[in-house]
Amino acid sequence: MKNTFFILLCMVFSAGCDSEKKTSGSPALKGRYTLTETGLYPEGIDYDLSNERFLLSSLYKGAVYSVNPKGEMAVFASSSKLVLPTGVFTDETRNRLIVANADLGVSQKSTASSAGTIASVSVFDLSSGALIKEIDLKNFTPNKGSCLNDIAVDNEGNIYITDSFAPNIYKIDLNYNASIFASSMLFTPAADKFGLNGIVFHPDGYLLAVKTDEAKLYKISLPVPSSVTEVKGMSFSSPDGIELDKNNNLVLVENGLGQGTAYTFSSSDKWKTAIKIKQTNIGKQEFPTTAAMASDGKVYVVNSKLGELLSGDRSQSIYTIQKID
């Protein structure tokens, strides 16, 4: 089990969901939303195209919140087993919300001995928030640490989940059968470091995932999961969440342990290499974690203020969701 400092350090890296969606009818979305809720510490974010709302996970509250285009916020989904939700994914095709769940010992639902004991995925009805299924993945790491992090879903509805403490990407099929999809030495985190983080499914039929400790982006083949290649030509530090924009460029969010910047990368060779085409400087204090593309075709970043949580402060009450240029 990680020591207390490492548990707190790791918490700030968890990515939230990154979905690859096409735009539909667009409501009037604001360029910036201010969220007021003491102890919210939002981490994962996605946009629900079916119901026109942001959905975001609260690391401390152990619940998923909705934010409508007017900025009104409410608890949307929770369960007794949902302790520290990280990544969220809105699967509109199958009317489900998929949430990665961990326990780093800092949620208000954590107990003195619960840190490191949870690695599960919760599936909720996307319309009502009712719990559909909870899938336990801790059996894949019975004698070592696990921190489920981010989520991607392919065209067939298979779910892929990164693990930041173990060198694994897990797969859950449509019948909710779980397996290790890919395990690689390339995914192994350095001692007391945070490994795999944000993940997306590319419509050309492969996965892209970042590794935080080495600041690398990997491409993983779906037909041959053992085929893992590093995407060259990129420069960033402390990568957290990733998202594809409407042009299938990759938005990569660098959290507050880096400079707190959102980068957009483009590739002309199927992600063998990539180049930076723009960046938005958000700021270390805002502590951005991840991003979601909304129905207006724009990408929005959630700013979590996790620096305060890292320092032991549970009283932070102001957070933001902002559109990046």
PDB file of all heavy atoms in Angstrom, residues 247-270:
ATOM      1  N   ASN A 247     -12.366  17.460 -34.774  1.00  0.00           N
ATOM      2  CA  ASN A 247     -11.504  17.129 -35.908  1.00  0.00           C
ATOM      3  C   ASN A 247     -10.585  15.953 -35.609  1.00  0.00           C
ATOM      4  O   ASN A 247      -9.661  15.672 -36.373  1.00  0.00           O
ATOM      5  CB  ASN A 247     -10.665  18.355 -36.306  1.00  0.00           C
ATOM      6  CG  ASN A 247     -11.527  19.519 -36.752  1.00  0.00           C
ATOM      7  OD1 ASN A 247     -12.450  19.357 -37.546  1.00  0.00           O
ATOM      8  ND2 ASN A 247     -11.244  20.706 -36.230  1.00  0.00           N
ATOM      9  N   ASN A 248     -10.839  15.287 -34.500  1.00  0.00           N
ATOM     10  CA  ASN A 248     -10.018  14.171 -34.023  1.00  0.00           C
ATOM     11  C   ASN A 248      -8.588  14.581 -33.700  1.00  0.00           C
ATOM     12  O   ASN A 248      -7.667  13.755 -33.727  1.00  0.00           O
ATOM     13  CB  ASN A 248     -10.034  12.991 -35.000  1.00  0.00           C
ATOM     14  CG  ASN A 248     -11.360  12.249 -34.966  1.00  0.00           C
ATOM     15  OD1 ASN A 248     -12.003  12.160 -33.927  1.00  0.00           O
ATOM     16  ND2 ASN A 248     -11.774  11.729 -36.107  1.00  0.00           N
ATOM     17  N   ASN A 249      -8.391  15.869 -33.412  1.00  0.00           N
ATOM     18  CA  ASN A 249      -7.155  16.290 -32.777  1.00  0.00           C
ATOM     19  C   ASN A 249      -7.240  15.906 -31.300  1.00  0.00           C
ATOM     20  O   ASN A 249      -8.341  15.741 -30.747  1.00  0.00           O
ATOM     21  CB  ASN A 249      -6.955  17.795 -32.915  1.00  0.00           C
ATOM     22  CG  ASN A 249      -6.773  18.216 -34.354  1.00  0.00           C
ATOM     23  OD1 ASN A 249      -6.073  17.571 -35.120  1.00  0.00           O
ATOM     24  ND2 ASN A 249      -7.422  19.308 -34.740  1.00  0.00           N
ATOM     25  N   LEU A 250      -6.104  15.778 -30.656  1.00  0.00           N
ATOM     26  CA  LEU A 250      -6.076  15.339 -29.266  1.00  0.00           C
ATOM     27  C   LEU A 250      -5.844  16.522 -28.339  1.00  0.00           C
ATOM     28  O   LEU A 250      -4.828  17.215 -28.441  1.00  0.00           O
ATOM     29  CB  LEU A 250      -4.966  14.311 -29.060  1.00  0.00           C
ATOM     30  CG  LEU A 250      -4.936  13.667 -27.677  1.00  0.00           C
ATOM     31  CD1 LEU A 250      -6.049  12.617 -27.557  1.00  0.00           C
ATOM     32  CD2 LEU A 250      -3.581  13.023 -27.393  1.00  0.00           C
ATOM     33  N   VAL A 251      -6.793  16.742 -27.438  1.00  0.00           N
ATOM     34  CA  VAL A 251      -6.628  17.741 -26.385  1.00  0.00           C
ATOM     35  C   VAL A 251      -6.068  17.028 -25.167  1.00  0.00           C
ATOM     36  O   VAL A 251      -6.652  16.060 -24.679  1.00  0.00           O
ATOM     37  CB  VAL A 251      -7.960  18.424 -26.039  1.00  0.00           C
ATOM     38  CG1 VAL A 251      -7.771  19.412 -24.886  1.00  0.00           C
ATOM     39  CG2 VAL A 251      -8.528  19.128 -27.270  1.00  0.00           C
ATOM     40  N   LEU A 252      -4.924  17.478 -24.686  1.00  0.00           N
ATOM     41  CA  LEU A 252      -4.243  16.882 -23.540  1.00  0.00           C
ATOM     42  C   LEU A 252      -4.168  17.913 -22.431  1.00  0.00           C
ATOM     43  O   LEU A 252      -3.692  19.031 -22.638  1.00  0.00           O
ATOM     44  CB  LEU A 252      -2.851  16.409 -23.943  1.00  0.00           C
ATOM     45  CG  LEU A 252      -1.994  15.703 -22.887  1.00  0.00           C
ATOM     46  CD1 LEU A 252      -1.053  14.690 -23.550  1.00  0.00           C
ATOM     47  CD2 LEU A 252      -1.161  16.689 -22.064  1.00  0.00           C
ATOM     48  N   VAL A 253      -4.659  17.542 -21.254  1.00  0.00           N
ATOM     49  CA  VAL A 253      -4.684  18.456 -20.118  1.00  0.00           C
ATOM     50  C   VAL A 253      -3.522  18.136 -19.183  1.00  0.00           C
ATOM     51  O   VAL A 253      -3.396  17.023 -18.677  1.00  0.00           O
ATOM     52  CB  VAL A 253      -6.017  18.364 -19.359  1.00  0.00           C
ATOM     53  CG1 VAL A 253      -6.016  19.322 -18.165  1.00  0.00           C
ATOM     54  CG2 VAL A 253      -7.187  18.669 -20.288  1.00  0.00           C
ATOM     55  N   GLU A 254      -2.703  19.139 -18.969  1.00  0.00           N
ATOM     56  CA  GLU A 254      -1.581  19.057 -18.025  1.00  0.00           C
ATOM     57  C   GLU A 254      -2.070  19.642 -16.708  1.00  0.00           C
ATOM     58  O   GLU A 254      -2.528  20.782 -16.654  1.00  0.00           O
ATOM     59  CB  GLU A 254      -0.423  19.867 -18.590  1.00  0.00           C
ATOM     60  CG  GLU A 254       0.813  19.958 -17.734  1.00  0.00           C
ATOM     61  CD  GLU A 254       1.837  20.880 -18.377  1.00  0.00           C
ATOM     62  OE1 GLU A 254       1.747  22.115 -18.149  1.00  0.00           O
ATOM     63  OE2 GLU A 254       2.689  20.389 -19.114  1.00  0.00           O
ATOM     64  N   ASN A 255      -1.999  18.851 -15.637  1.00  0.00           N
ATOM     65  CA  ASN A 255      -2.588  19.325 -14.386  1.00  0.00           C
ATOM     66  C   ASN A 255      -1.670  20.281 -13.625  1.00  0.00           C
ATOM     67  O   ASN A 255      -0.627  20.700 -14.128  1.00  0.00           O
ATOM     68  CB  ASN A 255      -3.032  18.138 -13.515  1.00  0.00           C
ATOM     69  CG  ASN A 255      -1.871  17.263 -13.063  1.00  0.00           C
ATOM     70  OD1 ASN A 255      -0.766  17.737 -12.810  1.00  0.00           O
ATOM     71  ND2 ASN A 255      -2.126  15.965 -12.944  1.00  0.00           N
ATOM     72  N   GLY A 256      -2.062  20.605 -12.403  1.00  0.00           N
ATOM     73  CA  GLY A 256      -1.349  21.625 -11.633  1.00  0.00           C
ATOM     74  C   GLY A 256      -0.003  21.203 -11.101  1.00  0.00           C
ATOM     75  O   GLY A 256       0.729  22.039 -10.569  1.00  0.00           O
ATOM     76  N   LEU A 257       0.374  19.934 -11.241  1.00  0.00           N
ATOM     77  CA  LEU A 257       1.743  19.545 -10.920  1.00  0.00           C
ATOM     78  C   LEU A 257       2.667  19.838 -12.083  1.00  0.00           C
ATOM     79  O   LEU A 257       3.893  19.784 -11.935  1.00  0.00           O
ATOM     80  CB  LEU A 257       1.818  18.066 -10.527  1.00  0.00           C
ATOM     81  CG  LEU A 257       1.064  17.711  -9.243  1.00  0.00           C
ATOM     82  CD1 LEU A 257       1.266  16.252  -8.890  1.00  0.00           C
ATOM     83  CD2 LEU A 257       1.483  18.607  -8.089  1.00  0.00           C
ATOM     84  N   GLY A 258       2.073  20.128 -13.256  1.00  0.00           N
ATOM     85  CA  GLY A 258       2.799  20.732 -14.364  1.00  0.00           C
ATOM     86  C   GLY A 258       2.498  22.223 -14.334  1.00  0.00           C
ATOM     87  O   GLY A 258       2.443  22.840 -13.264  1.00  0.00           O
ATOM     88  N   GLN A 259       2.233  22.797 -15.508  1.00  0.00           N
ATOM     89  CA  GLN A 259       1.946  24.224 -15.565  1.00  0.00           C
ATOM     90  C   GLN A 259       0.460  24.528 -15.648  1.00  0.00           C
ATOM     91  O   GLN A 259       0.052  25.685 -15.701  1.00  0.00           O
ATOM     92  CB  GLN A 259       2.668  24.865 -16.766  1.00  0.00           C
ATOM     93  CG  GLN A 259       4.172  24.829 -16.656  1.00  0.00           C
ATOM     94  CD  GLN A 259       4.669  25.504 -15.392  1.00  0.00           C
ATOM     95  OE1 GLN A 259       4.276  26.632 -15.065  1.00  0.00           O
ATOM     96  NE2 GLN A 259       5.541  24.812 -14.646  1.00  0.00           N
ATOM     97  N   GLY A 260      -0.374  23.469 -15.677  1.00  0.00           N
ATOM     98  CA  GLY A 260      -1.808  23.704 -15.782  1.00  0.00           C
ATOM     99  C   GLY A 260      -2.198  24.222 -17.148  1.00  0.00           C
ATOM    100  O   GLY A 260      -2.882  25.242 -17.279  1.00  0.00           O
ATOM    101  N   THR A 261      -1.795  23.503 -18.192  1.00  0.00           N
ATOM    102  CA  THR A 261      -2.000  23.931 -19.576  1.00  0.00           C
ATOM    103  C   THR A 261      -2.767  22.874 -20.356  1.00  0.00           C
ATOM    104  O   THR A 261      -2.572  21.674 -20.145  1.00  0.00           O
ATOM    105  CB  THR A 261      -0.643  24.174 -20.262  1.00  0.00           C
ATOM    106  OG1 THR A 261       0.058  25.203 -19.554  1.00  0.00           O
ATOM    107  CG2 THR A 261      -0.811  24.598 -21.713  1.00  0.00           C
ATOM    108  N   ALA A 262      -3.643  23.303 -21.258  1.00  0.00           N
ATOM    109  CA  ALA A 262      -4.320  22.397 -22.174  1.00  0.00           C
ATOM    110  C   ALA A 262      -3.682  22.539 -23.552  1.00  0.00           C
ATOM    111  O   ALA A 262      -3.623  23.636 -24.104  1.00  0.00           O
ATOM    112  CB  ALA A 262      -5.811  22.711 -22.249  1.00  0.00           C
ATOM    113  N   TYR A 263      -3.167  21.430 -24.087  1.00  0.00           N
ATOM    114  CA  TYR A 263      -2.523  21.415 -25.400  1.00  0.00           C
ATOM    115  C   TYR A 263      -3.424  20.707 -26.404  1.00  0.00           C
ATOM    116  O   TYR A 263      -4.130  19.750 -26.055  1.00  0.00           O
ATOM    117  CB  TYR A 263      -1.198  20.658 -25.337  1.00  0.00           C
ATOM    118  CG  TYR A 263      -0.187  21.196 -24.367  1.00  0.00           C
ATOM    119  CD1 TYR A 263      -0.077  20.674 -23.081  1.00  0.00           C
ATOM    120  CD2 TYR A 263       0.676  22.227 -24.734  1.00  0.00           C
ATOM    121  CE1 TYR A 263       0.858  21.156 -22.181  1.00  0.00           C
ATOM    122  CE2 TYR A 263       1.622  22.718 -23.839  1.00  0.00           C
ATOM    123  CZ  TYR A 263       1.705  22.178 -22.568  1.00  0.00           C
ATOM    124  OH  TYR A 263       2.639  22.661 -21.681  1.00  0.00           O
ATOM    125  N   THR A 264      -3.354  21.136 -27.651  1.00  0.00           N
ATOM    126  CA  THR A 264      -4.026  20.420 -28.734  1.00  0.00           C
ATOM    127  C   THR A 264      -2.971  19.936 -29.711  1.00  0.00           C
ATOM    128  O   THR A 264      -2.157  20.730 -30.199  1.00  0.00           O
ATOM    129  CB  THR A 264      -5.045  21.302 -29.464  1.00  0.00           C
ATOM    130  OG1 THR A 264      -6.018  21.776 -28.523  1.00  0.00           O
ATOM    131  CG2 THR A 264      -5.778  20.500 -30.546  1.00  0.00           C
ATOM    132  N   PHE A 265      -2.981  18.627 -29.986  1.00  0.00           N
ATOM    133  CA  PHE A 265      -2.028  17.994 -30.889  1.00  0.00           C
ATOM    134  C   PHE A 265      -2.749  17.426 -32.101  1.00  0.00           C
ATOM    135  O   PHE A 265      -3.882  16.948 -31.994  1.00  0.00           O
ATOM    136  CB  PHE A 265      -1.264  16.870 -30.185  1.00  0.00           C
ATOM    137  CG  PHE A 265      -0.370  17.327 -29.072  1.00  0.00           C
ATOM    138  CD1 PHE A 265      -0.826  17.331 -27.762  1.00  0.00           C
ATOM    139  CD2 PHE A 265       0.919  17.757 -29.338  1.00  0.00           C
ATOM    140  CE1 PHE A 265      -0.003  17.752 -26.718  1.00  0.00           C
ATOM    141  CE2 PHE A 265       1.756  18.187 -28.311  1.00  0.00           C
ATOM    142  CZ  PHE A 265       1.289  18.177 -27.000  1.00  0.00           C
ATOM    143  N   SER A 266      -2.043  17.446 -33.224  1.00  0.00           N
ATOM    144  CA  SER A 266      -2.566  16.894 -34.467  1.00  0.00           C
ATOM    145  C   SER A 266      -1.580  15.873 -35.012  1.00  0.00           C
ATOM    146  O   SER A 266      -0.364  15.972 -34.779  1.00  0.00           O
ATOM    147  CB  SER A 266      -2.769  18.013 -35.496  1.00  0.00           C
ATOM    148  OG  SER A 266      -3.206  17.489 -36.739  1.00  0.00           O
ATOM    149  N   SER A 267      -2.112  14.872 -35.732  1.00  0.00           N
ATOM    150  CA  SER A 267      -1.255  13.855 -36.341  1.00  0.00           C
ATOM    151  C   SER A 267      -1.682  13.620 -37.785  1.00  0.00           C
ATOM    152  O   SER A 267      -2.875  13.568 -38.092  1.00  0.00           O
ATOM    153  CB  SER A 267      -1.341  12.541 -35.566  1.00  0.00           C
ATOM    154  OG  SER A 267      -0.576  11.534 -36.198  1.00  0.00           O
ATOM    155  N   SER A 268      -0.700  13.478 -38.668  1.00  0.00           N
ATOM    156  CA  SER A 268      -0.974  13.195 -40.076  1.00  0.00           C
ATOM    157  C   SER A 268      -0.548  11.786 -40.473  1.00  0.00           C
ATOM    158  O   SER A 268      -0.629  11.426 -41.649  1.00  0.00           O
ATOM    159  CB  SER A 268      -0.251  14.216 -40.966  1.00  0.00           C
ATOM    160  OG  SER A 268       1.155  14.168 -40.750  1.00  0.00           O
ATOM    161  N   ASP A 269      -0.105  10.985 -39.493  1.00  0.00           N
ATOM    162  CA  ASP A 269       0.369   9.636 -39.806  1.00  0.00           C
ATOM    163  C   ASP A 269      -0.203   8.594 -38.843  1.00  0.00           C
ATOM    164  O   ASP A 269       0.473   7.676 -38.420  1.00  0.00           O
ATOM    165  CB  ASP A 269       1.899   9.586 -39.788  1.00  0.00           C
ATOM    166  CG  ASP A 269       2.497  10.060 -38.470  1.00  0.00           C
ATOM    167  OD1 ASP A 269       1.733  10.303 -37.512  1.00  0.00           O
ATOM    168  OD2 ASP A 269       3.731  10.197 -38.389  1.00  0.00           O
ATOM    169  N   LYS A 270      -1.492   8.770 -38.518  1.00  0.00           N
ATOM    170  CA  LYS A 270      -2.203   7.818 -37.658  1.00  0.00           C
ATOM    171  C   LYS A 270      -1.532   7.668 -36.297  1.00  0.00           C
ATOM    172  O   LYS A 270      -1.436   6.591 -35.740  1.00  0.00           O
ATOM    173  CB  LYS A 270      -2.364   6.463 -38.355  1.00  0.00           C
ATOM    174  CG  LYS A 270      -3.193   6.524 -39.636  1.00  0.00           C
ATOM    175  CD  LYS A 270      -3.435   5.161 -40.219  1.00  0.00           C
ATOM    176  CE  LYS A 270      -4.240   5.245 -41.511  1.00  0.00           C
ATOM    177  NZ  LYS A 270      -5.583   5.832 -41.303  1.00  0.00           N
TER     178      LYS A 270
END
